[in-house]
Amino acid sequence: MRWLGIIRIVVILFTLLSTWYFAETILATKWKGGNIGSIFGRSLEIKAVAQKIHKKCGNEKDCPDKYFAFKIISGAASVVGPTICLEDRILMSSVKNNIGRGLNIALVNASTGELIKTGHYDMYSGDVKDALKFFEDIKDGTLVFLASYDDPATKLNDEARNLLASFGSTYAKKVGFRDSWTFVGGKGLKHKSPFEQLIKNDKETNKYDGWPEVLEMEGCIPQRMD
Ligand SMILES: *[C@@H]1O[C@H](CO)[C@@H](O)[C@H](O)[C@H]1NC(C)=O
């Protein structure tokens, strides 16, 4: 009983002392920090460290100068919408409320990195003519970012597939019902794009019930120089 009492007092004393100690240190730093210059200097330091850790779009690697960093995440089944990020700016997402079932496409000026426009086309019950009009209006020197959501392909006809192939897509000709698909191409590309992924909807390998897994693709696109 006596020992317990002593221990209790020691614990209380210790808590009081350490609280006081911490209060003292914090106050002391605050006082020192009263010097505006040092607060400013310190926050710059912290910012510099944060920038070193944060890569554009949350990517694994930084891009060299004169390259645009991008990340595309395809939709998850029919539940979570896709995201398209360029140079740390979200071009399309559920939060931006500019995505939908089917093909989600962002058009970007290949010289400046500026967003030209976005569009989403329902390829399950929509009209492919709307998507065709969007593709046909794309001008030379435009980057095309594409992410699938749910079903990107049922309504795709040969004309639409050929146009997408002309932007550098390899898989446009074989993409099918509920496949996961991500692609970056451009109007006026002479070669097939290295930035494209496709996972076929296949009962044997699907991650979700009726859909394959989500695709996440990131990389660096050289800025167009004229
Ligand atoms: C890209 O931006 C440049 C500079 O503003 C402009 O001259 C060019 O026409 C634009 N290209 C496209 C495809 O929008």
Side-chain angles (χ1 to χ4, degrees):
M1 207 51 208
R2 218 188 188 168
W3 273 109
L4 224 70
I6 289 171
I7 288 170
R8 226 173 249 158
I9 288 168
V10 168
V11 166
I12 289 169
L13 264 179
F14 178 78
T15 315
L16 276 176
L17 273 173
S18 47
T19 311
W20 176 78
Y21 173 77
F22 280 121
E24 175 83 334
T25 2
I26 288 164
L27 282 175
T29 8
K30 267 217 183 116
W31 269 116
K32 259 195 261 154
N35 172 351
I36 301 260
S38 91
I39 288 181
F40 195 63
R42 201 164 154 68
S43 84
L44 278 184
E45 236 170 71
I46 290 167
K47 216 169 150 195
V49 171
Q51 270 168 356
K52 244 183 222 161
I53 295 164
H54 176 82
K55 311 251 190 312
K56 283 177 184 166
C57 295
N59 288 355
E60 303 255 318
K61 285 187 193 150
D62 273 324
C63 293
D65 260 10
K66 314 277 183 206
Y67 280 75
F68 300 128
F70 77 91
K71 170 150 29 199
I72 304 178
I73 304 170
S74 70
S78 59
V79 181
V80 183
T83 306
I84 298 177
C85 173
L86 182 74
E87 286 289 285
D88 240 5
R89 284 172 316 182
I90 302 295
L91 305 184
M92 300 185 81
S93 73
S94 304
V95 174
K96 293 209 84 165
N97 200 21
N98 60 358
I99 52 123
R101 178 168 73 180
L103 296 176
N104 292 268
I105 302 157
L107 303 182
V108 168
N109 185 315
S111 316
T112 62
E114 275 166 341
L115 179 67
I116 298 167
K117 63 176 166 180
T118 67
H120 54 92
Y121 297 94
D122 187 334
M123 288 294 114
Y124 186 72
S125 58
D127 189 341
V128 73
K129 281 203 190 102
D130 299 331
L132 276 172
K133 168 107 186 52
F134 186 83
F135 297 152
E136 280 161 0
D137 284 349
I138 298 176
K139 294 181 181 60
D140 262 10
T142 304
L143 293 170
V144 178
F145 294 79
L146 180 151
S148 64
Y149 183 21
D150 190 358
D151 174 21
T154 298
K155 289 281 178 91
L156 271 186
N157 56 14
D158 283 346
E159 202 180 347
R161 289 174 191 270
N162 286 336
L163 274 168
L164 286 163
S166 79
F167 303 150
S169 168
T170 307
Y171 298 132
K173 300 209 166 163
K174 67 174 204 185
V175 63
F177 175 63
R178 287 188 181 174
D179 291 350
S180 287
W181 185 26
T182 54
F183 166 65
V184 185
K187 176 77 186 265
L189 275 193
K190 287 177 192 71
H191 306 283
K192 288 297 176 200
S193 165
F195 300 115
E196 184 168 25
Q197 296 177 344
L198 181 78
I199 308 181
K200 298 298 287 177
N201 166 20
D202 179 342
K203 264 192 248 117
E204 302 299 313
T205 55
N206 278 351
K207 171 156 181 188
Y208 306 106
D209 233 0
W211 294 265
E213 68 189 289
V214 169
L215 279 172
E216 204 174 314
M217 179 171 79
E218 62 180 63
C220 305
I221 301 164
Q223 186 182 347
R224 182 183 152 121
M225 305 286 173
D226 289 310

